[in-house]
Amino acid sequence: MNKFALGSHRVALAAAMALGTVTTMATAASAATLRVTIENLAPINGGFLTPAWVGFHDGTFDLYDRGESLDDFNGLESLVEDGDTSQLTDAFAADNPDGVQATLLSDGPPPLEPGELTSFTLDVDPATNQYFSYASMVIPSNDAFIANGNPLAHEIFDDAGNFLGADFIVLGSEVLDGGTEVNDELPFSTAFLGQQAPDTGIDENGVVTEHPGLTVGTILGTTDSSALNGLPLNFTGADFTAPGYQVARFRVELVDNQVEDVPEPGIILGLVAAGGLVAANRKRKQTA
Protein backbone atom coordinates (compact mmCIF):
# COMPACT_ATOMS: atom_id res chain seq x y z
CA MET A 1 0.00 0.00 0.00
CA ASN A 2 1.60 3.31 -1.07
CA LYS A 3 1.44 6.49 1.01
CA PHE A 4 -1.58 7.78 -0.89
CA ALA A 5 -3.39 4.51 -0.34
CA LEU A 6 -2.44 4.59 3.34
CA GLY A 7 -3.84 8.10 3.64
CA SER A 8 -7.06 7.07 1.93
CA HIS A 9 -7.29 4.03 4.18
CA ARG A 10 -6.90 6.21 7.26
CA VAL A 11 -9.65 8.55 6.11
CA ALA A 12 -11.93 5.62 5.42
CA LEU A 13 -11.03 4.14 8.79
CA ALA A 14 -11.76 7.48 10.44
CA ALA A 15 -15.21 7.60 8.87
CA ALA A 16 -16.00 4.07 10.00
CA MET A 17 -14.65 4.54 13.48
CA ALA A 18 -15.90 7.90 14.58
CA LEU A 19 -19.01 9.14 12.83
CA GLY A 20 -20.91 9.15 16.10
CA THR A 21 -19.38 10.96 19.04
CA VAL A 22 -20.38 13.18 21.92
CA THR A 23 -24.10 12.97 22.57
CA THR A 24 -26.60 13.50 25.35
CA MET A 25 -26.20 15.37 28.60
CA ALA A 26 -28.22 15.67 31.79
CA THR A 27 -30.82 18.38 32.30
CA ALA A 28 -30.02 21.64 34.05
CA ALA A 29 -28.25 20.75 37.31
CA SER A 30 -25.00 21.10 39.16
CA ALA A 31 -22.30 20.07 36.70
CA ALA A 32 -18.63 19.30 36.95
CA THR A 33 -16.39 20.00 33.99
CA LEU A 34 -14.01 17.11 33.42
CA ARG A 35 -11.11 16.54 31.08
CA VAL A 36 -10.71 12.97 29.81
CA THR A 37 -7.34 12.06 28.30
CA ILE A 38 -6.10 8.91 26.60
CA GLU A 39 -2.43 8.37 25.78
CA ASN A 40 -1.05 5.57 23.63
CA LEU A 41 1.84 4.15 25.69
CA ALA A 42 2.97 1.57 23.13
CA PRO A 43 6.68 1.72 22.24
CA ILE A 44 8.09 2.73 18.88
CA ASN A 45 6.61 0.49 16.18
CA GLY A 46 3.94 -0.57 18.64
CA GLY A 47 0.24 -0.97 18.13
CA PHE A 48 -2.20 1.84 17.37
CA LEU A 49 -5.50 2.62 19.10
CA THR A 50 -8.76 3.53 17.42
CA PRO A 51 -10.63 6.59 18.71
CA ALA A 52 -11.66 5.71 22.25
CA TRP A 53 -15.28 5.70 23.35
CA VAL A 54 -15.73 7.02 26.88
CA GLY A 55 -18.90 7.26 28.94
CA PHE A 56 -20.04 8.52 32.35
CA HIS A 57 -23.03 6.71 33.85
CA ASP A 58 -24.82 5.55 36.98
CA GLY A 59 -22.95 2.24 37.21
CA THR A 60 -25.42 0.10 35.31
CA PHE A 61 -23.93 0.19 31.79
CA ASP A 62 -22.15 -3.12 31.21
CA LEU A 63 -19.89 -3.18 28.15
CA TYR A 64 -19.12 -6.93 28.18
CA ASP A 65 -18.51 -9.94 30.42
CA ARG A 66 -15.62 -12.34 30.03
CA GLY A 67 -16.66 -15.75 28.86
CA GLU A 68 -19.80 -14.40 27.19
CA SER A 69 -20.61 -13.57 23.58
CA LEU A 70 -20.72 -9.95 22.47
CA ASP A 71 -24.03 -10.81 20.83
CA ASP A 72 -25.48 -10.18 24.29
CA PHE A 73 -24.02 -6.65 24.49
CA ASN A 74 -25.28 -4.00 22.11
CA GLY A 75 -22.80 -1.91 20.15
CA LEU A 76 -19.41 -3.31 21.14
CA GLU A 77 -18.89 -5.80 18.28
CA SER A 78 -18.48 -3.10 15.63
CA LEU A 79 -15.95 -1.34 17.84
CA VAL A 80 -13.78 -4.41 18.49
CA GLU A 81 -13.81 -5.44 14.81
CA ASP A 82 -13.68 -2.11 12.99
CA GLY A 83 -13.17 0.64 15.56
CA ASP A 84 -16.65 2.00 14.80
CA THR A 85 -18.12 3.68 17.91
CA SER A 86 -21.47 4.68 16.38
CA GLN A 87 -23.43 1.58 17.45
CA LEU A 88 -22.02 1.75 20.96
CA THR A 89 -22.94 5.44 21.09
CA ASP A 90 -26.53 4.58 20.18
CA ALA A 91 -26.71 1.74 22.69
CA PHE A 92 -25.39 3.89 25.51
CA ALA A 93 -27.80 6.74 24.71
CA ALA A 94 -30.73 4.32 24.78
CA ASP A 95 -29.72 2.65 28.04
CA ASN A 96 -28.49 5.80 29.82
CA PRO A 97 -30.55 8.84 28.80
CA ASP A 98 -28.85 10.90 31.52
CA GLY A 99 -25.37 9.62 30.64
CA VAL A 100 -22.55 11.57 29.03
CA GLN A 101 -20.31 10.11 26.34
CA ALA A 102 -17.70 11.05 23.77
CA THR A 103 -15.39 9.61 21.13
CA LEU A 104 -11.83 10.87 21.59
CA LEU A 105 -10.08 11.53 18.29
CA SER A 106 -6.39 12.05 17.66
CA ASP A 107 -5.05 15.43 16.55
CA GLY A 108 -4.70 14.21 12.97
CA PRO A 109 -6.49 11.43 11.09
CA PRO A 110 -7.12 8.36 13.27
CA PRO A 111 -5.82 6.14 14.68
CA LEU A 112 -3.92 7.19 17.83
CA GLU A 113 -0.23 6.51 17.26
CA PRO A 114 2.30 5.32 19.85
CA GLY A 115 3.33 8.25 22.02
CA GLU A 116 0.30 10.35 21.06
CA LEU A 117 -2.37 11.63 23.42
CA THR A 118 -5.70 13.35 23.01
CA SER A 119 -8.26 14.80 25.41
CA PHE A 120 -11.82 16.07 25.53
CA THR A 121 -13.51 18.40 28.02
CA LEU A 122 -17.15 17.78 28.90
CA ASP A 123 -19.71 18.45 31.64
CA VAL A 124 -21.24 15.75 33.82
CA ASP A 125 -23.72 15.67 36.68
CA PRO A 126 -22.06 13.99 39.71
CA ALA A 127 -25.45 12.83 40.98
CA THR A 128 -26.24 10.71 37.92
CA ASN A 129 -22.81 10.01 36.38
CA GLN A 130 -20.59 8.63 39.11
CA TYR A 131 -18.82 6.01 37.02
CA PHE A 132 -16.49 5.99 34.00
CA SER A 133 -16.18 3.41 31.23
CA TYR A 134 -13.99 3.23 28.12
CA ALA A 135 -13.40 1.09 25.03
CA SER A 136 -10.92 1.16 22.14
CA MET A 137 -9.76 -1.29 19.48
CA VAL A 138 -6.09 -2.31 19.38
CA ILE A 139 -4.75 -2.37 15.83
CA PRO A 140 -3.60 -4.10 13.74
CA SER A 141 -5.87 -6.96 14.79
CA ASN A 142 -9.10 -8.76 13.96
CA ASP A 143 -10.94 -8.01 17.19
CA ALA A 144 -8.47 -7.04 19.94
CA PHE A 145 -9.67 -4.34 22.30
CA ILE A 146 -9.34 -2.70 25.71
CA ALA A 147 -12.33 -1.84 27.89
CA ASN A 148 -13.57 -2.18 31.45
CA GLY A 149 -16.05 -5.01 31.86
CA ASN A 150 -16.95 -3.98 35.40
CA PRO A 151 -19.12 -0.85 35.16
CA LEU A 152 -18.23 0.03 38.76
CA ALA A 153 -14.48 -0.23 38.23
CA HIS A 154 -13.81 3.51 37.95
CA GLU A 155 -15.75 5.64 40.42
CA ILE A 156 -15.30 9.32 39.55
CA PHE A 157 -17.61 10.81 42.21
CA ASP A 158 -18.54 9.37 45.59
CA ASP A 159 -22.10 9.25 46.90
CA ALA A 160 -21.75 12.75 48.31
CA GLY A 161 -20.67 14.15 44.94
CA ASN A 162 -17.01 14.55 45.86
CA PHE A 163 -14.61 14.21 42.93
CA LEU A 164 -12.37 11.14 43.06
CA GLY A 165 -11.00 11.17 39.51
CA ALA A 166 -9.07 8.46 37.71
CA ASP A 167 -5.54 7.91 36.44
CA PHE A 168 -4.70 4.37 35.38
CA ILE A 169 -2.61 2.39 32.89
CA VAL A 170 -3.95 -0.46 30.75
CA LEU A 171 -1.38 -3.24 30.39
CA GLY A 172 -0.89 -5.59 27.48
CA SER A 173 -2.09 -8.45 29.66
CA GLU A 174 -5.47 -6.69 29.78
CA VAL A 175 -5.97 -6.70 25.99
CA LEU A 176 -9.05 -8.75 25.18
CA ASP A 177 -10.17 -10.92 22.27
CA GLY A 178 -13.74 -10.11 21.24
CA GLY A 179 -14.33 -13.66 20.03
CA THR A 180 -16.27 -12.31 17.04
CA GLU A 181 -13.66 -12.85 14.29
CA VAL A 182 -11.06 -15.53 13.72
CA ASN A 183 -7.57 -14.15 14.40
CA ASP A 184 -6.19 -14.92 10.95
CA GLU A 185 -4.52 -11.47 10.81
CA LEU A 186 -4.64 -11.47 7.03
CA PRO A 187 -4.47 -8.05 5.37
CA PHE A 188 -7.90 -8.20 3.72
CA SER A 189 -9.65 -8.94 7.03
CA THR A 190 -7.45 -7.12 9.54
CA ALA A 191 -8.04 -3.50 10.46
CA PHE A 192 -5.16 -1.21 9.45
CA LEU A 193 -3.38 -3.87 7.43
CA GLY A 194 -5.46 -3.62 4.29
CA GLN A 195 -9.08 -4.18 5.23
CA GLN A 196 -11.20 -2.15 2.82
CA ALA A 197 -14.67 -2.64 4.33
CA PRO A 198 -16.11 -3.34 7.78
CA ASP A 199 -17.18 -6.79 8.95
CA THR A 200 -15.00 -8.69 6.49
CA GLY A 201 -13.44 -11.22 8.85
CA ILE A 202 -14.42 -14.84 9.33
CA ASP A 203 -17.05 -15.23 12.05
CA GLU A 204 -15.69 -16.98 15.12
CA ASN A 205 -18.90 -17.15 17.19
CA GLY A 206 -16.78 -17.18 20.31
CA VAL A 207 -16.75 -15.36 23.63
CA VAL A 208 -14.67 -12.59 25.19
CA THR A 209 -11.33 -13.90 26.46
CA GLU A 210 -7.82 -12.68 27.15
CA HIS A 211 -6.15 -12.06 23.80
CA PRO A 212 -3.38 -14.58 23.01
CA GLY A 213 -1.34 -11.97 21.12
CA LEU A 214 -0.55 -11.40 17.47
CA THR A 215 0.34 -14.70 15.86
CA VAL A 216 1.39 -13.84 12.32
CA GLY A 217 5.07 -12.97 12.07
CA THR A 218 4.50 -10.38 9.36
CA ILE A 219 2.69 -8.15 11.81
CA LEU A 220 5.47 -8.28 14.38
CA GLY A 221 8.13 -7.59 11.78
CA THR A 222 9.55 -9.45 8.79
CA THR A 223 11.13 -8.73 5.44
CA ASP A 224 8.11 -10.17 3.65
CA SER A 225 6.19 -6.94 3.05
CA SER A 226 3.89 -8.59 0.51
CA ALA A 227 1.82 -10.06 3.32
CA LEU A 228 1.22 -6.51 4.57
CA ASN A 229 0.14 -5.33 1.14
CA GLY A 230 3.16 -3.02 0.97
CA LEU A 231 2.12 -1.09 4.08
CA PRO A 232 4.99 1.31 4.87
CA LEU A 233 4.89 0.51 8.58
CA ASN A 234 6.25 -2.21 10.77
CA PHE A 235 4.99 -3.44 14.11
CA THR A 236 8.09 -4.88 15.74
CA GLY A 237 6.99 -3.27 18.99
CA ALA A 238 3.40 -4.49 18.87
CA ASP A 239 3.74 -7.66 20.94
CA PHE A 240 1.47 -6.63 23.81
CA THR A 241 2.02 -10.01 25.49
CA ALA A 242 5.58 -8.94 26.36
CA PRO A 243 6.14 -8.57 30.14
CA GLY A 244 5.28 -5.11 31.40
CA TYR A 245 3.90 -3.93 28.06
CA GLN A 246 1.84 -0.76 28.48
CA VAL A 247 -1.01 -0.06 26.07
CA ALA A 248 -2.69 3.13 27.23
CA ARG A 249 -3.12 5.61 30.05
CA PHE A 250 -6.50 7.14 30.93
CA ARG A 251 -6.95 10.22 33.08
CA VAL A 252 -10.12 11.94 34.30
CA GLU A 253 -9.35 15.34 35.81
CA LEU A 254 -11.57 18.00 37.35
CA VAL A 255 -11.47 21.28 35.44
CA ASP A 256 -14.36 23.12 37.10
CA ASN A 257 -17.17 22.24 39.50
CA GLN A 258 -19.27 25.36 39.27
CA VAL A 259 -23.06 25.12 39.14
CA GLU A 260 -24.21 25.74 35.57
CA ASP A 261 -26.95 24.85 33.13
CA VAL A 262 -26.28 21.69 31.17
CA PRO A 263 -27.88 21.23 27.71
CA GLU A 264 -31.07 19.20 27.48
CA PRO A 265 -30.82 15.55 26.36
CA GLY A 266 -30.32 15.11 22.64
CA ILE A 267 -28.21 18.23 22.07
CA ILE A 268 -25.15 17.30 20.08
CA LEU A 269 -21.89 18.65 21.48
CA GLY A 270 -19.66 17.68 18.58
CA LEU A 271 -19.67 16.18 15.10
CA VAL A 272 -16.74 14.08 13.89
CA ALA A 273 -15.75 14.39 10.24
CA ALA A 274 -13.94 11.69 8.30
CA GLY A 275 -10.76 13.75 8.21
CA GLY A 276 -10.57 13.76 12.00
CA LEU A 277 -11.94 17.25 12.79
CA VAL A 278 -13.44 17.64 16.25
CA ALA A 279 -14.41 20.52 18.50
CA ALA A 280 -12.26 19.41 21.37
CA ASN A 281 -9.31 20.31 23.54
CA ARG A 282 -6.54 18.13 22.18
CA LYS A 283 -2.84 17.68 22.68
CA ARG A 284 -0.35 15.78 20.58
CA LYS A 285 2.96 14.46 21.83
CA GLN A 286 5.50 13.31 19.29
CA THR A 287 7.15 9.93 19.76
CA ALA A 288 10.81 10.26 20.57
Side-chain angles (χ1 to χ4, degrees):
M1 184 182 294
N2 57 35
K3 291 184 178 179
F4 177 79
L6 176 60
S8 298
H9 179 65
R10 283 190 170 186
V11 170
L13 187 63
M17 291 189 296
L19 284 177
T21 179
V22 186
T23 56
T24 58
M25 303 285 287
T27 55
S30 298
T33 301
L34 306 181
R35 179 182 295 109
V36 183
T37 302
I38 176 177
E39 180 179 2
N40 186 336
L41 297 181
I44 295 174
N45 297 327
F48 290 59
L49 295 171
T50 64
W53 174 89
V54 297
F56 293 88
H57 53 87
D58 61 5
T60 62
F61 186 70
D62 194 4
L63 281 167
Y64 71 91
D65 287 331
R66 288 203 187 198
E68 295 190 17
S69 170
L70 287 184
D71 290 342
D72 299 327
F73 298 88
N74 292 332
L76 195 59
E77 181 173 350
S78 60
L79 185 148
V80 306
E81 291 183 357
D82 305 306
D84 180 2
T85 63
S86 61
Q87 293 184 29
L88 180 57
T89 295
D90 291 343
F92 182 84
D95 290 349
N96 296 263
D98 292 328
V100 179
Q101 60 178 323
T103 294
L104 276 61
L105 292 179
S106 54
D107 199 31
L112 194 70
E113 302 176 4
E116 186 179 3
L117 63 81
T118 187
S119 62
F120 203 105
T121 301
L122 63 169
D123 296 333
V124 303
D125 183 351
T128 56
N129 298 289
Q130 288 181 254
Y131 298 94
F132 171 76
S133 292
Y134 68 91
S136 176
M137 183 185 183
V138 178
I139 50 178
S141 75
N142 290 97
D143 58 356
F145 71 104
I146 56 174
N148 59 297
N150 179 2
L152 304 178
H154 303 292
E155 186 178 10
I156 305 304
F157 299 97
D158 64 18
D159 292 338
N162 298 308
F163 178 73
L164 304 176
D167 189 345
F168 59 92
I169 290 175
V170 181
L171 299 175
S173 58
E174 299 174 80
V175 175
L176 298 164
D177 187 328
T180 59
E181 284 188 2
V182 174
N183 295 330
D184 54 25
E185 292 157 4
L186 298 174
F188 79 91
S189 62
T190 303
F192 208 59
L193 288 189
Q195 179 178 318
Q196 298 298 314
D199 197 24
T200 56
I202 300 173
D203 289 340
E204 184 178 359
N205 299 314
V207 298
V208 176
T209 60
E210 180 180 341
H211 201 288
L214 303 175
T215 58
V216 179
T218 51
I219 292 181
L220 298 179
T222 178
T223 57
D224 182 12
S225 61
S226 61
L228 294 182
N229 199 25
L231 193 68
L233 294 171
N234 72 75
F235 298 98
T236 54
D239 182 11
F240 50 76
T241 63
Y245 193 102
Q246 296 183 345
V247 176
R249 179 186 182 187
F250 285 88
R251 283 174 288 169
V252 180
E253 303 167 284
L254 181 65
V255 177
D256 184 25
N257 62 353
Q258 299 299 315
V259 176
E260 60 187 41
D261 286 342
V262 183
E264 294 292 330
I267 292 179
I268 303 302
L269 295 183
L271 177 63
V272 180
L277 298 177
V278 64
N281 175 22
R282 299 164 302 197
K283 296 181 181 179
R284 180 181 179 87
K285 182 176 70 177
Q286 297 294 332
T287 304

